Structures are given as structure tokens and as C-alpha cells.
Amino acid sequence: MIETKLHGDVLEIVLAHPPVNALGEAVRKGLYGAIADAQADDRVKAIVIRGSGRLFSGGADITEFGQPLVPPALPEVVDATEASAKPVVAAIHGLALGGGLEVALGCHYRIAARGAKLGLPEVTLGLLPGAGGTQRLPRLVGIETALGMIVSGVPVSAAKAAEIGLVDRLADEDRLVEEAIAFARTLNEPRRTGERSVPADPALFERFAVENARKIRGLDAPQACMEAIKAATELPLDKGQEKERALFASLVAGDQSRALRHAFFAERAAAKIDGLPKDLPLRPIARVGVIGAGTMGGGISMNFLSAGIPVTIVEMTQEALDRGAALVRKNYEATAAKGRLTSEQVEKAMGLLTPTLDFDALADCDLIIEAVYENMAVKKEIFARLDGVAKTGAMLASNTSYLSIDEIAAATGRPQDVLGLHFFSPANVMKLVEVVRGAKTAPEVLATGMDLARRIGKMPVVAGVCYGFIGNRMLIPRQSNADALLLEGATPEQVDRVHTRFGMPMGPFQMADLAGVDIGWHRDPERIDSLRDALCAQGRWGQKTQAGYYDYDEKRKPSPSPVVTEAIDAFRRKAGIAPRAISDEEIIVRTLYTMVNEGAKILDEGIAQRASDIDVVWIHGYGWPRHTGGPMFWADQMGHETIVEALERYAHRLGDAFTISPLLERRPAGSDFP
């Protein structure tokens, strides 16, 4: 776990705990002991600490959080490092994150490879840096900079770290160790960050809180981070660390941190495919074909182009093809205008795109993704045609949001090569991909789909075949109940407000207006079977027409619509429904608890591999508040008996077809979803 080597009068201490050099018990003990031994060794004039492999250290071992701690604790190790009578230099490459950066902050000097990144991302786990980070970083870089780094959790580049005084020197990575040892040899005495004072205007904290109110509202960790950093301005290091540790202990025991840590591990578990060997050979994917150059097809293409994978995109008309290629370029240029891409990167990506009207041009593609509209007959026709064009061994994927992959696969003579790759809109932005396993999908096809999704920066989750898969199937009871609640007496504003207060980025009707109220509409203005039909028939298609469930001004700012109010009243009169007062609690039960109930059915049917996969789908695909852990973890925390009791109480409002999930009903009190 710890390796040491004496270079004349400089002791090199190496954190050797792959893959991320996590600071677990053995590493802490080893580092603490190596520092102590160096103090007693007259041969050692200075010390260099570095990480092995690809990075300095990814931080603490998260699996130890909430468990009895075996000493030495990380704060003890960092304090011992800073207390060293001999100068200590941190040589940082790759990443120095969390506890890894706190170790570096305990060192007296820091030298970083030019490509390194340094940060304290504990806030993303509902925590704060608990090994002196909130006390030492402000003393080193100033309060305002420390607030920005710690409360956001976003790492900084080595160049930025040098600019703000976080590191003393930069070096090329291949010379980092050599230069660190040479630097250490020039040092005569320690320089202890903890001995510095850090004055600050108290108004700075109030101003920071106001400026970041939207990002941190309702979150425990950012507030605690600010409180700890403020302590650095008022207390000496040891007292500030006591405050920091007390705040850390409170957070680690809190609901939000438990939920955020669950989400962290859920994302890693989602990558695992039950029943498949880890060393299963994957199919090579050198070129991707995309059928359909619309918004979805273009967005899907961008994911592969950005990863350096050539794409052949096929359309039926030149006009549609030109429009699609132009939209891809426009999206790239918009990103470049924000400084996130260079013009050279834009041209490189566009150079990998081959737009064509020739369906046969897909013959040399290793993966072909169909991205046309949701119509089974059209999709089956395309896959039957692909069967005669695609080369042997090519993977064939549908981007369908709801339809059966098994039925689509049956249109080919190679169902083993067919899978679903359900991207979420906008496909070039949204992280989630549901990788749908058909009844005959070959194991290596599924594994390749998962691996490829990760290669292009997505968060893939395996789903089985059912209408809507995981995410959209759970969306159905939410939307149907939201619609029913309007007729019974709620307003779009009330339903949406309940969801946004819960932590969703938007409510059901705000989401419908953003996505397009007309998506999936039968487009017959004479057939008015629902409120949605009535709105669509009037051209109220959402934000794109400045009218949907809300009215919109030229800046897309929503306001309640008298037209919608009248349409709701008309449907109530037609159905003989007398409006009543709807409580926020009823909205939560009928729109959120019913989602949990559907999730339990999905889990029970084997459509999802594990409950945490459902959480990942909803966090990354629909904006479920991460600090609640996802719908299934949220239900675990509340207690399944609470969910069942509430659903039974409102069962008379949920329709004749509603049933409570057997899995929910049979779980013992206090148990969690599997």
C-alpha cells in the first residue's frame, strides 16, 4: 500500500493502492508510519509524496463512511504530515481529489504535472472535506476561491491551481518525480499552511449564499461547507478542525449524504450485467450508422463524433439530410462559442460525419441505430431492409422509447444482433441510455452496447422489454394521474409546484410543454378525447408555439393560461365532474408514490436488474433530485408500509386498473428493495 525509496537525502513515499490510491486503513497506517520513520532517520533531509499509477489519490475510501474508524484517521495523518520537521513536497499527477488533496494540503509544498486536476468534491456526496480541507484551503488560496472550489466541488486545472497559489510549481508529467526530488533538495524548512491567518469580510459569505442560492437551496452540505470555511476566519487551525469534524459527523449521518452515497454506488453498479462474465469478448465498433437526421438522430450522431467514431447518417430527402447536418454543426458551434470546444475540434468532429441518401452506405457500419419516429410498422420495415444491407456481425439498434425490441428484432433474420439503445433528448446532452436486452439479444451484443455507451460518456442501464422500459413506463402513472388531478380540481401550476418543491427541475406539465405537447398526438383535430387533444387541436404544442399548458412570452417565461382553464372546465362539465380542493399530499401520492409502485413491478418482473438501476434511470434521465437517492431509495427511506398505506387510502381515485405491486406489499417492514 505504501512504497518508499531513498534518493540520497530525499525520501520518496509512494501511495500504491490501485486503481485510485484510495486512503483506506492500510494506506493511512503506512503513510503515517513512513512520515514518522522519516523524522527519526538522519539520512532524510526532505520528503516527497506521490501516487502510483495514473493519479495522486482519488481520496478517502467511501465504503468506510459511517463505519467504526480504525486509527489513524485521515485528519491525524494530514496533521502529522504538516507537523513534520523536515520539508514535505506533494508531487501531484492525474487527480488529487478529496482526501487526496487534503494530504497534499498537509504537505509544505506542492508541485503538479501540467495535466493534473485538483479538487474537493465531497459536497457531491453530501459531505464536506473532513481532514482539514475547509481550514487549510482558505488559508492557502483565500476565502472567495476556497468557497467556489469547496461548495461547487468542481476540480481546477494545474494551471489554475498555480495561478491561485494552490501549487508552487508545474512540471511535465514525465519529469514530475525528478523535479519534485530536486525541488525538495533545495528546501531548508517546512512552510505550514495551518499557521497562516485568513481574514475575511463577513459580508462575503452572505453575498456568496445569495449568488448561489438556486444551486444550494435545500441542500445540507453546501451550507455546512460555508459554515466550516467561515470558522477558518474566526478560529485557529485546531479549533477550526474540531468544527469541521463535528459538521462532517452530522452530515455523514444525515439522510442527504446517505442518499448521495447511494447514488454514487448505484452508478457503478449499473455498469454490471448480471450473469455475464467480465471478460466476455466485445464486438469491435469502428463506424456507426444512424437512420434519421432529425433532432434525435443528429444528437445521437454527435455522441459518437465527439468520441472520434465516424458516423454515416441516412435520410430519405436531401432537404431533411441538409437540415440535420446543419443542426449538428450549429450545436457544435454553439458549444465552441461558449469556449468548450475549439474551431479545430468542431471541424474534426464534422469531418467524421458522412451524410447520405444511400441506405446501402450502411453496409460498412459495425453498429446501426434507427432513430425514426415511434411507429412499429415503420421500424419493422427499416429493420427488414437492414437485414439485407448490414454486414454479418453488425449490431442493429433501435432508439425506440416504448416499443418492443423483440417485435422489431423478429423483422430480421438475426435477432441475436438486435438491441435497444434508448437515448434521452437532447441526446447529445442527456447522460442516460437505456440499453434494452431483447429475448434473443446475444450476450456480447448487450455487453458491447453497455461498453460503447460508456465510451461516449453516457450512463448506461440495462432494461428488459416492456412498454416504456424502465423510465417511460414509470412516467405513465405519473402523467395519467396528473391529468386526472386537473379534471378533479388541481391546476397545472399546483401540480408542477409540488414537483419542483420536491426537487424536480420541472413538473409534469412544464415537462410536457418543453418536450412538445403534440408528441405522439394522433393529429386528428376532430377527435377530442382528452384535454391534451383539445390543446393540440388549438395549436397549443408547448414552448415551441408559445402556448401549451401555460402561455409563454418571447423569452419563454410561463404564465397561467385562461384558455387552459376554460378547456379544463369544459372537460369537467362534459364528464360531470365537480371540482374539489386537492391537497399537495394527494398529488405526491398519486404522482410520485404511483411511480414507486410501478418501479416495484418493474423490479419484480425482472425488467430492471436491481432497484438502484431504477434510481440511476430517474436521476439521469428525468432529473429526479439526486439528494433523495432516486425513487426506490427514497421509498426505502420512507418505509414501504407508508407507501402502501397511502396508495390504499387513495385507491378509489387511481382507477379500476390500478393494483399495488406484490413486491411492495410483501416486503417486511423496514426492509429495502433488492
Side-chain angles (χ1 to χ4, degrees):
M1 298 295 183
I2 293 292
E3 299 171 357
T4 60
K5 183 177 181 181
L6 189 62
H7 300 266
D9 55 358
V10 176
L11 179 67
E12 179 187 18
I13 302 176
V14 183
L15 310 177
H17 184 26
V20 297
N21 299 326
L23 300 165
E25 175 190 343
V27 176
R28 295 195 306 273
K29 282 183 177 178
L31 181 55
Y32 189 83
I35 293 289
D37 291 345
Q39 307 308 302
D41 191 337
D42 293 336
R43 297 173 299 168
V44 177
K45 177 188 174 185
I47 302 165
V48 169
I49 301 176
R50 70 172 180 89
S52 67
R54 298 171 60 184
L55 71 164
F56 182 78
S57 173
D61 184 344
I62 300 172
T63 61
E64 293 183 350
F65 290 176
Q67 304 297 321
L69 188 64
V70 179
L74 189 57
E76 294 176 67
V77 177
V78 177
D79 287 349
T81 303
E82 186 170 49
S84 169
K86 300 175 182 182
V88 184
V89 176
I92 300 166
H93 76 292
L95 300 172
L97 299 179
L101 181 55
E102 289 179 296
V103 167
L105 287 169
C107 296
H108 308 128
Y109 304 88
R110 285 155 293 280
I111 180 171
R114 300 181 197 283
K117 291 188 176 181
L118 301 84
L120 295 169
E122 286 86 350
V123 71
T124 62
L125 295 176
L127 300 169
L128 52 70
T134 65
Q135 305 304 298
R136 289 189 175 89
L137 187 66
R139 287 173 162 84
L140 196 61
V141 303
I143 295 299
E144 192 163 5
T145 301
L147 277 169
M149 284 185 64
I150 294 174
V151 174
S152 74
V154 177
V156 298
S157 66
K160 181 66 175 178
E163 178 187 326
I164 62 179
L166 178 52
V167 301
D168 300 283
R169 296 187 179 190
L170 298 177
D172 294 333
E173 186 164 335
D174 60 353
R175 289 181 50 82
L176 177 65
V177 177
E178 179 184 343
E179 293 197 22
I181 291 170
F183 178 38
R185 199 164 276 136
T186 68
L187 302 172
N188 295 318
E189 59 184 18
R191 182 192 61 185
R192 297 184 175 90
T193 302
E195 294 175 353
R196 301 184 184 188
S197 61
V198 55
D201 179 0
L204 174 62
F205 293 92
E206 296 176 17
R207 186 168 64 251
F208 182 87
V210 170
E211 291 172 352
N212 293 275
R214 185 175 179 184
K215 296 178 184 177
I216 65 180
R217 184 180 295 115
L219 299 178
D220 298 337
Q223 302 292 340
C225 288
M226 288 188 286
E227 189 177 344
I229 295 169
K230 190 173 183 181
T233 70
E234 301 168 339
L235 301 170
L237 179 67
D238 58 342
K239 297 299 182 184
Q241 286 180 293
E242 288 179 14
K243 177 74 171 178
E244 177 189 82
R245 285 194 288 272
L247 289 167
F248 182 91
S250 176
L251 289 172
V252 81
D255 290 342
Q256 288 189 7
S257 182
R258 279 198 296 267
L260 289 164
R261 298 196 311 268
H262 164 80
F264 176 87
F265 287 113
E267 289 164 351
R268 280 139 189 84
K272 301 172 184 175
I273 308 173
D274 290 346
L276 295 191
K278 292 182 180 179
D279 58 351
L280 184 69
L282 304 180
R283 294 195 183 181
I285 306 295
R287 174 174 285 274
V288 171
V290 175
I291 302 171
T295 302
M296 183 58 77
I300 291 172
S301 299
M302 288 180 70
N303 293 301
F304 296 100
L305 298 174
S306 298
I309 300 173
V311 173
T312 299
I313 190 166
V314 177
E315 256 295 355
M316 295 180 63
T317 69
Q318 191 65 49
E319 180 185 4
L321 190 66
D322 292 344
R323 185 169 57 246
L327 181 59
V328 170
R329 176 173 286 279
K330 180 181 177 183
N331 287 339
Y332 273 127
E333 290 178 345
T335 304
K338 297 174 184 175
R340 297 175 189 163
L341 289 175
T342 64
S343 57
E344 291 78 11
Q345 287 172 315
V346 171
E347 294 309 318
K348 181 179 179 182
M350 291 303 299
L352 295 171
L353 180 65
T354 303
T356 181
L357 300 177
D358 182 10
F359 197 88
D360 290 345
L362 298 169
D364 65 343
C365 294
D366 303 295
L367 165 67
I368 303 169
I369 304 173
E370 164 272 308
V372 304
Y373 57 92
E374 286 287 277
N375 181 288
M376 179 59 83
V378 172
K379 291 181 186 290
K380 288 169 72 172
E381 180 183 346
I382 288 172
F383 273 77
R385 190 176 176 189
L386 275 176
D387 206 24
V389 171
K391 64 185 180 182
T392 301
M395 289 168 46
L396 310 180
S398 176
N399 180 55
T400 179
S401 303
Y402 288 91
L403 303 179
S404 170
I405 293 299
D406 291 337
E407 188 173 346
I408 292 170
T412 77
R414 49 173 104 180
Q416 73 279 1
D417 295 334
V418 179
L419 77 163
L421 290 175
H422 178 210
F423 290 80
F424 284 66
S425 186
N428 55 307
V429 176
M430 296 294 285
K431 294 270 290 180
L432 180 68
V433 176
E434 286 180 317
V435 181
V436 186
R437 169 170 40 190
K440 297 184 179 179
T441 302
E444 76 276 8
V445 168
L446 180 67
T448 302
M450 291 287 285
D451 178 73
L452 185 61
R454 289 192 294 273
R455 279 173 57 193
I456 62 175
K458 298 300 185 183
M459 182 67 64
V461 175
V462 174
V465 175
C466 66
Y467 187 73
F469 313 124
I470 296 173
N472 284 342
R473 176 171 164 181
M474 291 172 67
L475 198 64
I476 293 169
R478 185 181 87 159
Q479 193 62 52
S480 63
N481 275 284
D483 292 342
L485 283 161
L486 293 190
L487 299 185
E488 293 173 36
T491 64
E493 306 89 78
Q494 181 191 8
V495 175
D496 286 343
R497 173 177 49 76
V498 168
H499 284 78
T500 54
R501 282 187 177 176
F502 176 72
M504 296 286 196
M506 60 186 70
F509 301 109
Q510 292 167 322
M511 190 176 83
D513 277 358
L514 178 64
V517 182
D518 61 318
I519 290 180
W521 178 47
H522 50 66
R523 300 194 178 274
D524 181 355
E526 302 301 318
R527 186 176 132 203
I528 309 296
D529 298 325
S530 67
L531 173 63
R532 175 170 166 265
D533 287 347
L535 298 182
C536 287
Q538 296 179 54
R540 298 185 67 90
W541 294 356
Q543 290 190 20
K544 58 190 172 187
T545 60
Q546 292 189 279
Y549 286 95
Y550 297 89
D551 291 331
Y552 294 88
D553 63 19
E554 62 281 356
K555 295 183 178 179
R556 295 200 174 191
K557 182 180 179 181
S559 59
S561 173
V563 175
V564 173
T565 300
E566 174 52 37
I568 293 171
D569 286 341
F571 267 88
R572 285 174 183 157
R573 290 192 296 270
K574 181 179 178 181
I577 297 173
R580 59 186 176 84
I582 304 288
S583 68
D584 288 358
E585 186 241 8
E586 180 175 350
I587 293 172
I588 287 174
V589 173
R590 293 179 61 181
T591 61
L592 298 184
Y593 285 18
T594 52
M595 282 176 51
V596 170
N597 185 63
E598 198 66 30
K601 292 180 179 179
I602 287 170
L603 190 60
D604 210 16
E605 295 167 18
I607 300 300
Q609 295 186 106
R610 52 190 76 90
S612 61
D613 282 5
I614 298 173
D615 291 332
V616 172
V617 166
W618 268 84
I619 289 170
H620 287 282
Y622 301 87
W624 186 281
R626 188 180 180 89
H627 66 273
T628 70
M632 309 311 281
F633 183 84
W634 176 64
D636 287 342
Q637 298 304 101
M638 284 191 300
H640 299 173
E641 62 278 9
T642 299
I643 302 284
V644 170
E645 185 277 328
L647 289 172
E648 288 174 340
R649 187 158 24 96
Y650 285 100
H652 64 292
R653 302 280 185 192
L654 296 173
D656 294 338
F658 174 77
T659 59
I660 294 177
S661 160
L663 179 61
L664 259 182
E665 288 188 305
R666 68 174 181 259
R667 298 301 294 170
S671 65
D672 295 342
F673 284 115

